[in-house]
Amino acid sequence: MERTLVILKPSAIQRELVGEVITRFERKGLRLCGIKMMQLDDDILSEHYGHLKDKPFFQRLKDAMMTTPVIVTCWEGLNAINVVRNMTGSTNGQNAVPGTVRGDFSMSMQENIIHTSDSEENAAIELNRFFRPEEIFEYRKCCFDYLYASDEV
Ligand code: ADP
């Protein structure tokens, strides 16, 4: 089983899409392992978006991510990182395929509703960045036997 991070950005909070987005991942069959609201600061965002530090929009992106608290979530499932990435859609909401979160709800490159981890390595780093170990919970979904065949898990 893989775990991945989804951040509901200020655009999700302000557009009142929190329930909508979480419902999509629940209905897909992913297990919610952790969820909390937090106010991000410049330090954690500089780490999180470190790969973009030389881009002209770096500070503007960080400022936008601090305009409201965000909701950080951890989801678990088979191949969860790719499954969630595919449900997210491409970075620019204008190009994202309909049916994806960004394809359905975003018109913007920056204001694109959610962040989702893009690799196994980054998922581990990012979950560790936003959650303490005791904030990630183990439990068995009662519908587990109807989410996967026995030879899949
Ligand atoms: P993704 O979120 O799809 O993995 P990136 O890691 O490339 O994409 O970028 C992180 C975030 O930075 C994007 O989700 C988006 O909010 C913002 N961003 C990326 N490129 C731009 C840009 N050209 N202008 C404004 N914001 C951008």
Side-chain angles (χ1 to χ4, degrees), residues 39-69:
Q39 177 63 52
L40 302 181
D41 62 21
D42 199 79
D43 289 348
I44 198 167
L45 285 165
S46 295
E47 249 185 51
H48 181 63
Y49 286 132
H51 60 295
L52 300 173
K53 66 177 184 309
D54 298 325
K55 302 285 187 192
F57 57 83
F58 182 54
Q59 191 60 48
R60 190 190 65 203
L61 169 64
K62 291 191 294 175
D63 289 344
M65 289 291 288
M66 293 187 281
T67 58
T68 71

Side-chain angles (χ1 to χ4, degrees), residues 119-142:
S119 67
E120 224 172 305
E121 189 192 356
N122 282 338
I125 293 169
E126 292 176 355
L127 286 169
N128 194 45
R129 177 175 298 138
F130 291 98
F131 285 99
R132 293 195 300 270
E134 65 270 24
E135 293 173 330
I136 304 284
F137 294 88
E138 280 293 349
Y139 62 93
R140 184 182 163 86
K141 278 175 85 79
C142 60

Side-chain angles (χ1 to χ4, degrees), residues 63-109:
D63 289 344
M65 289 291 288
M66 293 187 281
T67 58
T68 71
V70 300
I71 294 173
V72 294
T73 59
C74 171
W75 297 91
E76 182 185 84
L78 269 190
N79 200 21
I81 296 161
N82 263 328
V83 167
V84 167
R85 263 320 254 193
N86 288 338
M87 292 173 72
T88 302
S90 55
T91 307
N92 188 340
Q94 291 158 36
N95 305 328
V97 173
T100 63
V101 171
R102 290 169 174 172
D104 286 352
F105 301 118
S106 168
M107 285 292 287
S108 169
M109 186 79 171

